[in-house]
Amino acid sequence: MIITIDQQGNSKVAIIESNGIVINNAQDALDLMASVRYTDDADKLIIDKTNITEEFFELKTKLAGRFCRNT
């Protein structure tokens, strides 16, 4: 996994790149968010949909609602 930080003014976004699935469950998402917050002071993520488990996109699993929010 490669994490690149894009900064515009005071806003930092972590851009996540990987060849495989990075987020399999809500805990993986929380761990990733905590990691980039701690190491890079970024509070936003951009990640390709291919790096997220397919269950995320099935609304009945409620996985998306566990770790997504609008700011």
Side-chain angles (χ1 to χ4, degrees):
M1 175 172 52
I2 298 170
I3 301 174
T4 307
I5 301 299
D6 179 44
Q7 183 168 356
Q8 301 291 321
N10 292 331
S11 177
K12 291 184 179 180
V13 178
I15 302 167
I16 313 300
E17 297 179 77
S18 178
N19 291 329
I21 293 179
V22 175
I23 298 175
N24 286 296
N25 52 52
Q27 189 61 52
D28 289 345
L30 291 172
D31 290 346
L32 181 58
M33 289 187 285
S35 177
V36 298
R37 179 70 172 160
Y38 179 76
T39 60
D40 300 299
D41 198 32
D43 58 1
K44 299 176 189 96
L45 299 176
I46 295 176
I47 187 167
D48 192 272
K49 69 179 185 176
T50 60
N51 300 130
I52 303 172
T53 184
E54 285 294 320
E55 291 177 359
F56 174 87
F57 302 101
E58 295 177 24
L59 296 179
K60 66 182 178 187
T61 67
K62 299 182 182 178
L63 183 59
R66 292 184 189 145
F67 59 91
C68 290
R69 68 182 177 98
N70 292 328
T71 55

